[in-house]
Amino acid sequence: MKITVLGCGALGQLWLSALEQAGHDVQGWLRVPQPYCPVNIIQLNGQSYNKNLAANDPLHLAESQILLVTLKAWQVYNGLVPLLAKIPPHCRIILLHNGMGSQDEFPNLIEQPLFQGVTTHAARRDGNTIIHVAAGTTHIGPTNSAAIGQSNIAEVLHQALPDVAWHDNIMPAIWKKLAVNCVINPLSVIYNCRNGDLQKYMPHVEAIVKEISEVMEAEGYRTSPESLLHYVTNVMCMTADNYSSMYQDVQAQRHTEIDYITGYLLRAARKHGLSVTENAHIFETIKRKEQTYERIGS
Ligand code: KPL
């Protein structure tokens, strides 16, 4: 299949390499157009994958059957909207980012089948190389009417980078991943540690999870603090050696996804009149951290 991957960061390169090795005709799409996208991965089996893959070819884009968007949540609107008129009407668009709320920025703008996915694959950048630190599961499902029933897309992705699970209703999976990111990402910044080290701070983790569970229940999802804690600690263990994407963003003094992670949770809590003081405190801490370096950088 012809596939364009929008965003060539750690996750984008992971998917580019996996889809190319599965035999697809892939290209990367970068904000600043380039003829090639260098993809350097150390795969889970320890083998290196180093290739210059095609990039920013408008003809390829015009024929792409899948547009896989691996941009950060806050980049999606500006990155995706200009491409909508350049891809075919049947091109399937998959949003694969942490957090929620990016789609609220372009309601009903997308006619193509639109899917949302979340993944627990862990990858981190080491210089110019991306290390695939831990295997995970990608959950994917439809988020507009044109995408309903198109479950075969999960199979295409699964052949390239397993596991991929299809959900007719993707929202519970997205909320569970939001819970993971509300805990692991900001706490790894606050405690300056790898994901696995967060097991030393369980009272803090439990307090955050309890608030998330209350918000999820108010939103109509069946959950409990115990089951959510189990899910979050499991991801912590599976990705123990990884530094979370937010940790990596802060280290590189990049804008984080906190507005779409904890920020989204706070907005949902407010809607239901719930007080989520632990998460509010965490949100403020990360925003303050961002402001320090954004002020220095400006
Ligand atoms: O999604 C992640 C992230 O870092 O953004 C996890 C699963 C926590 C892996 O680090």
Side-chain angles (χ1 to χ4, degrees):
M1 289 179 98
K2 264 198 156 65
I3 302 176
T4 295
V5 177
L6 171 57
C8 299
L11 199 57
Q13 290 194 38
L14 199 60
W15 277 102
L16 275 166
S17 66
L19 290 163
E20 195 268 342
Q21 290 176 94
H24 296 288
D25 179 5
V26 295
Q27 72 156 343
W29 197 273
L30 300 115
R31 190 171 45 89
V32 179
Q34 285 174 34
Y36 295 104
C37 167
V39 178
N40 302 304
I41 306 272
I42 298 189
Q43 304 179 116
L44 280 175
N45 60 10
Q47 284 178 1
S48 298
Y49 173 99
N50 300 301
K51 275 193 186 172
N52 280 334
L53 298 178
N56 293 78
D57 174 2
L59 287 178
H60 187 297
L61 184 68
E63 290 174 355
S64 285
Q65 292 149 288
I66 294 179
L67 177 65
L68 180 60
V69 183
T70 61
L71 296 169
K72 300 275 185 183
W74 56 271
Q75 298 171 320
V76 170
Y77 181 86
N78 284 338
L80 176 61
V81 172
L83 300 190
L84 291 176
K86 299 178 179 157
I87 55 175
H90 60 264
C91 177
R92 300 188 278 182
I93 304 172
I94 307 167
L95 303 182
L96 200 58
H97 61 70
N98 283 334
M100 292 167 76
S102 70
Q103 288 178 54
D104 303 342
E105 294 164 9
F106 44 85
N108 307 324
L109 202 66
I110 297 188
E111 280 161 19
Q112 288 90 349
L114 180 66
F115 304 81
Q116 190 161 356
V118 284
T119 188
T120 53
H121 278 277
R124 76 178 158 84
R125 187 181 282 279
D126 186 4
N128 287 332
T129 303
I130 306 299
I131 305 170
H132 188 185
V133 183
T137 304
T138 303
H139 300 269
I140 178 172
T143 56
N144 71 359
S145 55
I148 290 172
Q150 296 208 32
S151 59
N152 60 338
I153 195 160
E155 190 52 34
V156 172
L157 299 178
H158 181 81
Q159 293 303 326
L161 189 60
D163 288 335
V164 179
W166 171 259
H167 300 253
D168 286 330
N169 177 8
I170 187 67
M171 292 315 290
I174 290 183
W175 265 97
K176 275 167 81 177
K177 180 69 198 304
L178 188 80
V180 165
N181 291 128
C182 280
V183 174
I184 297 183
N185 294 30
L187 284 191
S188 64
V189 174
I190 289 167
Y191 291 116
N192 193 23
C193 66
R194 291 177 197 259
N195 297 356
D197 297 332
L198 291 174
Q199 289 179 81
K200 292 185 213 144
Y201 308 101
M202 284 317 279
H204 203 171
V205 169
E206 282 165 24
I208 298 165
V209 166
K210 187 169 172 291
E211 289 182 356
I212 303 168
S213 168
E214 282 164 12
V215 178
M216 282 179 70
E217 276 182 42
E219 286 277 305
Y221 299 100
R222 277 185 53 191
T223 187
S224 67
E226 295 74 27
S227 65
L228 210 51
L229 185 65
H230 183 261
Y231 187 74
V232 171
T233 43
N234 190 40
V235 177
M236 237 179 234
C237 295
M238 299 293 288
T239 63
D241 285 342
N242 199 40
Y243 285 107
S244 80
S245 56
M246 193 172 286
Y247 178 98
Q248 296 178 55
D249 285 340
V250 169
Q251 289 298 312
Q253 306 210 332
R254 284 189 300 254
H255 196 67
T256 73
E257 291 179 298
I258 196 73
D259 288 321
Y260 296 81
I261 298 177
T262 313
Y264 188 89
L265 181 89
L266 299 188
R267 291 192 291 281
R270 207 171 300 132
K271 213 170 65 192
H272 297 289
L274 290 170
S275 151
V276 284
T277 48
E278 288 294 342
N279 282 282
H281 180 67
I282 281 176
F283 181 76
E284 292 308 325
T285 308
I286 301 296
K287 289 305 270 187
R288 264 201 308 275
K289 211 170 227 351
E290 266 184 354
Q291 278 160 14
T292 358
Y293 57 70
E294 283 178 354
R295 232 187 356 253
I296 294 166
S298 61

